[in-house]
Amino acid sequence: MEAASTRKQHARDLFSALPRHYDLVGALMSFGQDPRWRRALVDTVRPSDTDRVLDVATGTGLVSERLALRYGCTVIGIDQSPEMLGASRARLARNPRLSSRVSLVEGEAERLPFGDGEFDHLTFTYLLRYVDDPAATLRELARVVAPGGRIASLEFGVPTQRLLRALWVIHTRVGLPVVGRLFSREWASTGAFLARSVPEFYARYPITQLVADWQAAGIDSVKVRRMSFGAGLIVSGTRGTGQTAGMTVAGSETRGGE
């Protein structure tokens, strides 16, 4: 119980000081790839204009905004950080087209304040490294999605090729803290944290284990798409379709450069 409390509090503390430059620094730390990864995530969901989508760990609302503007769907963005939600509200206020399509809720992914099957689709971004039990969180996420709904996530990945992995290690251990230091002491600490937390997460939860957790949560046809040589990872599937569960791994830089 103490470990759970420590991790949750660390996540809250980590994001409370970051909203001001979050989008810009995220793009810089990923060599400009984070916006492209988020676009690919939005491409994966493909809601209709009558669908309701839940965007978990919405942060500053980038994914919620793109879902609503591209597809005309209704989006509920949920995040446990009031500071990040404040940044998201500021983003929404700049575009009157979003006021009727996107709403924001403060809450935790592990205990969603919604009923079973309440949403047509669901997205989440950079979430599972910050929860105590990823498998239980995936079950909770799947619970609120109607059968046949698409579930998709974006997370940092680790390149599998030896040379690229070595370059990735140098970038995360040296580059991320340096980039963060250009903005604030908090961002410097965040860069150092990411350098540790990403490989540590995959040491505990290899991709095969994560896919098994998705499937155990009732998500079928799970696909893993590696982007930017594996530095970005999109995992997606379909809620309770009854299809034969399986895993598909797509190589990085596929589909016309994605």
Side-chain angles (χ1 to χ4, degrees), residues 100-112:
S100 63
R101 298 195 179 277
V102 181
S103 56
L104 301 172
V105 176
E106 185 176 339
E108 298 181 339
E110 302 95 323
R111 289 171 290 276
L112 294 171

Side-chain angles (χ1 to χ4, degrees), residues 38-51 53 63-75 97-98 101 121 123 150:
R38 291 177 189 264
R39 288 195 298 271
L41 175 66
V42 170
D43 291 344
T44 301
V45 184
R46 305 187 310 278
S48 72
D49 58 3
T50 59
D51 284 343
V53 183
V63 171
S64 292
E65 176 187 51
R66 287 171 181 166
L67 283 166
L69 290 178
R70 177 167 180 179
Y71 298 105
C73 58
T74 299
V75 184
R97 294 172 57 196
L98 297 173
R101 298 195 179 277
H121 310 287
T123 58
R150 286 178 286 277

Side-chain angles (χ1 to χ4, degrees), residues 2 13 48 53-55 105 127 133 162-163 207 212 215 221:
E2 178 62 28
D13 293 343
S48 72
V53 183
L54 181 63
D55 182 35
V105 176
L127 170 67
D133 189 339
R162 182 176 299 178
L163 176 59
I207 298 299
Q215 294 168 342
S221 304

Side-chain angles (χ1 to χ4, degrees), residues 10 12 35 43 69 80 90 92 139 150-151 160 174 176 246 252:
H10 180 263
R12 292 191 181 99
D43 291 344
L69 290 178
Q80 70 173 10
L92 298 179
R139 291 194 296 270
R150 286 178 286 277
I151 301 173
T160 55
V174 179
L176 293 187
S252 59

Side-chain angles (χ1 to χ4, degrees), residues 180-201:
R181 200 173 298 122
L182 296 175
F183 291 88
S184 69
R185 181 176 58 187
E186 291 81 8
W187 268 114
S189 298
T190 299
F193 169 76
L194 288 173
R196 299 190 311 272
S197 70
V198 175
E200 287 174 356
F201 177 76

Side-chain angles (χ1 to χ4, degrees), residues 16 18 27 32 76-77 97 102 129 139 158 195 228 246 248 253 258:
S16 65
L18 303 185
I76 307 295
R97 294 172 57 196
V102 181
R129 282 181 295 115
R139 291 194 296 270
V158 180
S228 305
T248 301
E253 307 307 324
E258 283 295 311

Side-chain angles (χ1 to χ4, degrees), residues 16-254:
S16 65
L18 303 185
R20 183 180 178 188
H21 300 294
Y22 185 83
D23 301 340
L24 174 61
V25 180
L28 290 175
M29 285 186 167
S30 63
F31 283 111
Q33 297 304 294
D34 175 78
R36 190 166 69 94
W37 298 343
R38 291 177 189 264
R39 288 195 298 271
L41 175 66
V42 170
D43 291 344
T44 301
V45 184
R46 305 187 310 278
S48 72
D49 58 3
T50 59
D51 284 343
R52 297 180 75 230
V53 183
L54 181 63
D55 182 35
V56 182
T58 191
T60 60
L62 282 169
V63 171
S64 292
E65 176 187 51
R66 287 171 181 166
L67 283 166
L69 290 178
R70 177 167 180 179
Y71 298 105
C73 58
T74 299
V75 184
I76 307 295
I78 184 169
D79 201 287
Q80 70 173 10
S81 169
E83 292 84 4
M84 296 296 274
L85 287 174
S88 185
R89 289 189 182 94
R91 174 188 300 282
L92 298 179
R94 292 194 292 269
N95 191 335
R97 294 172 57 196
L98 297 173
S99 60
S100 63
R101 298 195 179 277
V102 181
S103 56
L104 301 172
V105 176
E106 185 176 339
E108 298 181 339
E110 302 95 323
R111 289 171 290 276
L112 294 171
F114 307 109
D116 295 354
E118 191 170 332
F119 294 91
D120 297 292
H121 310 287
L122 182 146
T123 58
F124 61 99
T125 308
Y126 304 132
L127 170 67
L128 295 182
R129 282 181 295 115
Y130 299 102
V131 302
D132 298 296
D133 189 339
T137 300
L138 284 166
R139 291 194 296 270
E140 175 67 357
L141 297 174
R143 178 186 66 79
V144 302
V145 180
R150 286 178 286 277
I151 301 173
S153 74
L154 169 62
E155 183 53 85
F156 287 116
V158 180
T160 55
Q161 297 181 27
R162 182 176 299 178
L163 176 59
L164 293 174
R165 185 185 180 99
L167 293 173
W168 181 90
V169 169
I170 293 172
H171 171 62
T172 55
R173 293 183 179 178
V174 179
L176 293 187
V178 169
V179 170
R181 200 173 298 122
L182 296 175
F183 291 88
S184 69
R185 181 176 58 187
E186 291 81 8
W187 268 114
S189 298
T190 299
F193 169 76
L194 288 173
R196 299 190 311 272
S197 70
V198 175
E200 287 174 356
F201 177 76
Y202 290 110
R204 297 195 311 273
Y205 303 102
I207 298 299
T208 51
Q209 179 61 53
L210 286 175
V211 170
D213 290 341
W214 277 63
Q215 294 168 342
I219 305 170
D220 296 338
S221 304
V222 180
K223 297 180 181 179
V224 178
R225 182 183 178 189
R226 300 182 187 276
M227 298 189 66
S228 305
F229 306 103
L233 203 67
I234 293 178
V235 183
S236 61
T238 305
R239 174 68 168 108
T241 63
Q243 299 177 18
T244 302
M247 177 178 73
T248 301
V249 179
S252 59
E253 307 307 324
T254 59

